[in-house]
Amino acid sequence: MVQPVFDAAVLSGRADIPSQFIWPEGESPTPDAAEELHVPLIDIGGMLSGDPRATAEVTRLVGEACERHGFFQVVNHGIDAELLADAHRCVDAFFTMPLPEKQRALRRPGESCGYASSFTGRFASKLPWKETLSFRSCPSDPALVVDYIVATLGEDHRRLGEVYARYCSEMSRLSLEIMEVLGESLGVGRAHYRRFFEGNDSIMRLNYYPPCQRPMETLGTGPHCDPTSLTILHQDNVGGLQVHTEGRWRSIRPRADAFVVNIGDTFMALSNGRYKSCLHRAVVNSKVPRKSLAFFLCPEMDKVVAPPGTLVDAANPRAYPDFTWRSLLDFTQKHYRADMKTLEVFSSWIVQQQQGQLALQPQPART
Ligand SMILES: C=C1C[C@]23C[C@@]1(O)CC[C@H]2[C@@]12CC[C@H](O)[C@@](C)(C(=O)O1)[C@H]2[C@@H]3C(=O)O
Ligand SMILES: O=C(O)CCC(=O)C(=O)O
Ligand SMILES: [Fe+2]
């Protein structure tokens, strides 16, 4: 079958959509998702200004949400509204460029960064109706974002790079605040996860979902759990994010003043399975494009992902083996398409690999 080209300007002129974008009936958008999922809206303003009572309340609400489904929203987060507006404007500026311009940052097979128009080169079916631009952001290398944007898109796009460099540095700061709350709520202390993530190697992803003439037959982002540690998402006012809990899909209504935060598979492992990484997806519509900004907090590549000892005991044995983010990222880019079972399948794969390596090691001679 011919590989389709995902160019919204071309596709919007057709009455139907190429078959590779059509999702099977059991996986396509469902009417139940018109229902809203009320995830807690947590005011973190008091906590950020050091109020101990406000901090205790935030800790309780975050802990409760993470044990249930791993999704919550934060308001009074201290992120400058003008920066957020700029970040959304830059999404429009980038994705409305002609395809060949965007392809200057083309994401190559096996890589997690760059521009992807759908995933036409990577998957043959159940293609997502979206374009993305992803890039790395590390607090230890403040020039990384601007250098990447200028190196791929050219000097003319330096300002876009500067906007996202600022945005990512703010997201990293906010995610470390949330890590303190997660540590406190799990009883391991505020410093534990903050220290673990201080030198993070995170991924920023701009999602752009063009309008689709057949929105009930396709998906913008298929059902998946984020393999990463913590996601901080800002959706524009269009709406499309849906979460699967209690056996049904429900929508998280966009709020301009809120970030949607969710636990990813890597944090689920770091909490020994206590905090949930939950299945979610994004739907599209036939009228207007939709944008979302996703910051995925990730550990440094070779740091060992293991829960603190206090979360492991006879009643709560290790839920997942030790691994590195490098190996999980590689797994999702080269061997497995992220879905609701990523961590489970990856865990079995890593145990098999370790056993294989053990078998290859010379055994000590028996005396
Ligand atoms: C590690 C990652 C794989 C992923 C991008 C990400 O940084 C976090 C989300 C992942 C996901 C899940 C749904 C889809 O399968 C996917 C293609 C997507 O759009 O977001 C994958 C990403 C990917 O494999 O590139
Ligand atoms: O666009 C959205 O609302 C969700 C995107 C998402 O889940 C992702 O990029 O991992
Ligand atoms: Fe996601």
Side-chain angles (χ1 to χ4, degrees):
M1 206 182 272
V2 219
Q3 191 174 300
V5 177
F6 189 75
D7 184 353
V10 175
L11 290 173
S12 62
R14 305 175 42 155
D16 58 354
I17 59 176
S19 60
Q20 291 91 336
F21 292 92
I22 298 181
W23 286 63
E25 216 162 285
E27 292 177 75
S28 53
T30 41
D32 60 347
E35 203 189 320
E36 201 180 323
L37 175 68
H38 295 279
V39 294
L41 188 67
I42 306 179
D43 183 339
I44 59 170
M47 177 186 90
L48 295 179
S49 51
D51 174 351
R53 281 181 58 181
T55 305
E57 182 58 2
V58 169
T59 307
R60 188 183 69 76
L61 292 170
V62 166
E64 234 173 61
C66 293
E67 285 195 336
R68 197 174 333 135
H69 45 51
F71 269 82
F72 58 94
Q73 302 181 83
V74 293
V75 288
N76 285 323
H77 38 64
I79 306 297
D80 178 28
E82 204 34 55
L83 175 62
L84 194 50
D86 251 345
H88 276 284
R89 279 193 287 267
C90 287
V91 175
D92 281 323
F94 176 77
F95 289 101
T96 52
M97 294 199 302
L99 189 59
E101 291 278 303
K102 295 183 273 195
Q103 283 176 331
R104 281 152 70 186
L106 198 65
R107 180 168 162 182
R108 315 226 166 258
E111 283 178 10
S112 54
C113 291
Y115 166 75
S117 67
S118 184
F119 289 106
T120 51
R122 197 166 148 208
F123 309 125
S125 64
K126 299 200 274 184
L127 291 177
W129 194 270
K130 71 169 172 186
E131 298 171 62
T132 58
L133 177 67
S134 315
F135 41 88
R136 282 174 64 211
S137 151
C138 309
S140 61
D141 187 353
L144 193 62
V145 174
V146 177
D147 287 353
Y148 175 77
I149 295 293
V150 171
T152 52
L153 299 176
E155 242 339 293
D156 290 353
H157 297 270
R158 178 172 289 277
R159 205 190 93 79
L160 179 139
E162 286 166 355
V163 168
Y164 291 121
R166 266 187 67 209
Y167 186 83
C168 289
S169 127
E170 287 292 276
M171 287 297 115
S172 173
R173 192 176 55 76
L174 179 58
S175 52
L176 294 183
E177 298 283 355
I178 298 171
M179 280 300 149
E180 290 196 354
V181 178
L182 294 174
E184 185 71 24
S185 64
L186 283 164
V188 303
R190 299 183 75 76
H192 182 83
Y193 295 116
R194 169 182 270 276
R195 273 201 209 115
F196 186 83
F197 283 105
E198 228 141 29
N200 58 83
D201 193 338
S202 299
I203 301 170
M204 178 70 210
R205 159 171 296 199
L206 319 179
N207 288 312
Y208 187 80
Y209 304 93
C212 175
Q213 54 275 51
R214 301 284 184 96
M216 293 308 280
E217 288 169 22
T218 191
L219 282 171
T221 297
H224 68 283
C225 299
D226 292 339
T228 41
S229 301
L230 187 81
T231 305
I232 306 186
L233 183 94
H234 195 268
Q235 21 174 6
D236 68 6
N237 59 1
V238 176
L241 173 62
Q242 303 181 340
V243 179
H244 195 261
T245 53
E246 296 158 7
R248 61 198 198 277
W249 288 102
R250 277 173 291 177
S251 303
I252 299 194
R253 184 206 290 253
R255 278 185 66 122
D257 61 345
F259 285 96
V260 178
V261 181
N262 70 277
I263 299 291
D265 291 343
T266 301
F267 196 87
M268 181 154 79
L270 282 169
S271 71
N272 201 27
R274 280 264 302 271
Y275 284 179
K276 303 293 178 288
S277 169
C278 184
L279 192 65
H280 58 284
R281 68 182 185 188
V283 298
V284 290
N285 71 84
S286 60
K287 298 192 175 62
V288 279
R290 171 173 181 263
K291 314 185 280 297
S292 69
L293 303 162
F295 177 83
F296 300 105
L297 181 75
C298 311
E300 282 169 323
M301 289 288 180
D302 295 313
K303 236 177 150 110
V304 176
V305 173
T310 48
L311 296 182
V312 183
D313 56 31
N316 303 285
R318 283 289 299 271
Y320 309 100
D322 283 3
F323 63 88
T324 61
W325 168 238
R326 186 189 298 282
S327 59
L328 177 53
L329 181 61
D330 221 51
F331 184 71
T332 62
Q333 296 310 310
K334 298 190 183 145
H335 307 286
Y336 193 80
R337 183 173 182 174
D339 65 8
M340 70 183 294
K341 291 210 174 82
T342 308
L343 188 56
E344 218 178 285
V345 178
F346 171 71
S347 294
S348 314
W349 183 77
I350 209 106
V351 168
Q352 257 176 24
Q353 294 246 323
Q354 283 161 357
Q355 283 167 350
Q357 269 165 14
L358 268 182
L360 288 175
Q361 266 168 22
Q363 300 297 312
R366 281 178 185 226
T367 49

